[in-house]
């Protein structure tokens, strides 16, 4: 059984996609042992509580500095000891010490086709705003493993989404979620849970 911790900052739509996939059997051999958010008002915490999943608030604002938060965050994750950490719209940079401790066991969903529209400053609606400003015709989402650099870890899977005439950032965000994020992330979790993919020496292996 793959024991996962899901980290979320907002509404938790990707968390809900994971829960729905578990209910329908699209994700098997997996258990969510906790949901962590840096935002006390995150709906994701309510989603977790509704399923009797431990909902944990860990905000950098509650600590004297980022170093103290990083140490506490890493320590809490070590206490939970998950097999996999899933970043499902988590807007906090993962501490280097956590990456070292959980190397090859942290995955992230990003709302673009990496290496486009990623890195520092590219998160949430801002990604889709930049996509529309640039005038690209195809965008999408990427699931990747985390390393020490922002959005540069080994790619697990990607799915393209067409940018349509008249799109607003909000419309495009919703389409990317529905057509890519909510499909890619559950599948990646199921593939990892059932041994179909793994990362070794910075490369992804298996049936993608």
């Amino acid at each position: 059984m793959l024991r996962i911790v899901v980290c979320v900052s907002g509404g938790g739509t990707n968390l809900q996609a994971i829960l729905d996939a578990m209910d329908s059997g699209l994700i098997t051999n997996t258990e969510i042992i906790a949901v962590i958010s840096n935002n006390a008002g995150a709906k994701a915490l309510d989603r977790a509580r509704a399923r009797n999943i431990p909902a944990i608030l860990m905000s950098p604002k509650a600590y004297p500095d980022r170093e103290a938060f990083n140490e506490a965050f890493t320590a809490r994750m070590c206490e939970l000891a998950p097999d996999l950490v899933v970043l499902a719209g988590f807007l906090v940079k993962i501490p280097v010490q956590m990456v070292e401790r959980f190397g090859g066991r942290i995955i992230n969903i990003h709302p673009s086709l990496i290496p486009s529209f990623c890195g520092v400053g590219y998160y949430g609606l801002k990604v889709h705003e930049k996509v529309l400003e640039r005038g690209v015709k195809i965008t999408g989402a990427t699931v990747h493993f985390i390393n020490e650099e922002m959005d540069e870890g080994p790619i697990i899977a990607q799915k393209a989404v067409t940018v349509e005439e008249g799109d607003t950032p909000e419309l495009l965000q919703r389409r990317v979620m529905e057509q890519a994020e909510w499909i890619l992330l559950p599948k990646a979790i199921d593939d990892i849970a059932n041994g179909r993919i793994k990362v070794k020496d910075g490369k992804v292996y298996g049936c993608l």
Side-chain angles (χ1 to χ4, degrees):
M1 182 70 70
L2 186 77
R3 301 168 67 257
I4 70 174
V5 169
V6 182
C7 298
V8 194
S9 290
T13 54
N14 275 304
L15 170 62
Q16 191 62 52
I18 294 168
L19 292 167
D20 292 345
M22 293 173 69
D23 291 342
S24 67
L26 290 175
I27 295 177
T28 60
N29 194 33
T30 299
E31 173 190 9
I32 300 177
I33 61 171
V35 170
I36 295 177
S37 181
N38 61 303
N39 178 9
K43 188 176 179 182
L45 294 175
D46 295 330
R47 295 180 193 270
R49 295 183 188 106
R51 301 292 286 259
N52 294 316
I53 298 169
I56 301 169
L57 174 63
M58 291 210 70
S59 171
K61 297 177 182 178
Y63 295 84
D65 53 40
R66 185 50 68 101
E67 182 178 352
F69 168 77
N70 287 346
E71 291 178 358
F73 188 25
T74 302
R76 189 60 181 273
M77 197 66 75
C78 289
E79 290 174 4
L80 292 167
D83 301 310
L84 184 71
V85 179
V86 179
L87 309 181
F90 192 54
L91 305 183
V92 175
K93 182 174 174 58
I94 300 303
V96 172
Q97 56 263 48
M98 186 182 295
V99 176
E100 293 173 348
R101 176 64 177 79
F102 292 91
R105 291 189 287 148
I106 308 175
I107 65 172
N108 179 56
I109 181 78
H110 183 76
S112 77
L113 297 175
I114 291 174
S116 297
F117 304 103
C118 66
V120 177
Y122 285 92
Y123 61 89
L125 202 62
K126 293 181 182 296
V127 174
H128 308 292
E129 290 172 349
K130 293 298 183 181
V131 164
L132 293 176
E133 286 176 12
R134 187 64 182 86
V136 302
K137 306 304 180 185
I138 300 293
T139 184
T142 303
V143 179
H144 64 99
F145 284 101
I146 290 292
N147 63 13
E148 291 83 358
E149 304 300 325
M150 183 74 73
D151 296 332
E152 292 189 10
I155 290 173
I156 298 170
Q158 295 181 302
K159 192 173 189 301
V161 175
T162 301
V163 179
E164 298 182 359
E165 188 72 24
D167 267 342
T168 63
E170 291 80 9
L171 286 173
L172 184 56
Q173 181 183 52
R174 183 72 184 186
R175 189 180 313 113
V176 169
M177 288 192 295
E178 292 177 345
Q179 296 184 11
E181 294 182 45
W182 298 348
I183 297 169
L184 288 177
L185 189 56
K187 185 178 187 304
I189 293 169
D190 186 63
D191 285 343
I192 293 169
N194 291 284
R196 290 188 290 270
I197 62 174
K198 62 182 179 179
V199 64
K200 183 178 180 181
D201 299 327
K203 296 182 179 180
V204 175
Y205 296 87
C207 301
L208 305 182

